[in-house]
Amino acid sequence: LYTCMLNERGGVIDDLIIYKVTDDFYRVVINAGTREKDITWMKKHIHSFDVTLTERTDLAMLAIQVPEVKEKVERFLPSEQADQILNLKPFTFVMKKEIFIARTGYTGEDGYEIILPLKEATQVWQTCLLFGIAPCGLGARDTLRLEAGLNLYGADMDENVTPLESNLAWTVILEPKDRDFIGRQALEEQVKDGLKKKLVGLVLEGPGVIR
């Protein structure tokens, strides 16, 4: 599930992806740049619950995002795993011991995110290079995100901007009315009073610069 973690004012502390692995095991993937404040926030609020929060600094994540992702990935996957992984639906995953492969990503392209032990990341990275999967920097990734209309934390939303204002209302479920969560009251007040501002996307019909 792609969702937003909110403060009491309804502002977005971070946007993140949460995987339900089992009934008592959830994997939360946060932004690296907001890691410290995210973990501090979660620790602040879990003390009332029977929850253990474990930061996995021993793991790494590789994101493989490309239109031909299935053809690329299939070339270096073991044959016994290929069918299961290639047939994953978006926002589903398979987990084999410490290897976690999900059909997710936040680039606007199709792809996979692979979570694996840090000690194995270099070998997998080198294997990707051998099979023609080229590395890509954050700037190039964010051009894809912009073209797809995907929000960028810190630019399109932050702790002073709510999901309703940043075109992420679809991540918020206000029904049933007794479903409580941090920031709900602030969002209900925005719905009642009407939004004073809202993020929208602009599509150019041809080359040009918006001024």
Side-chain angles (χ1 to χ4, degrees), residues 4 6 8 53 60 63 86 146 148 189 195 201:
C4 294
L6 308 182
E8 288 89 349
L53 179 65
L86 295 176
L146 180 63
E189 290 175 359
L195 297 178

Side-chain angles (χ1 to χ4, degrees), residues 52-56:
T52 300
L53 179 65
T54 304
E55 183 182 6
R56 296 297 303 272

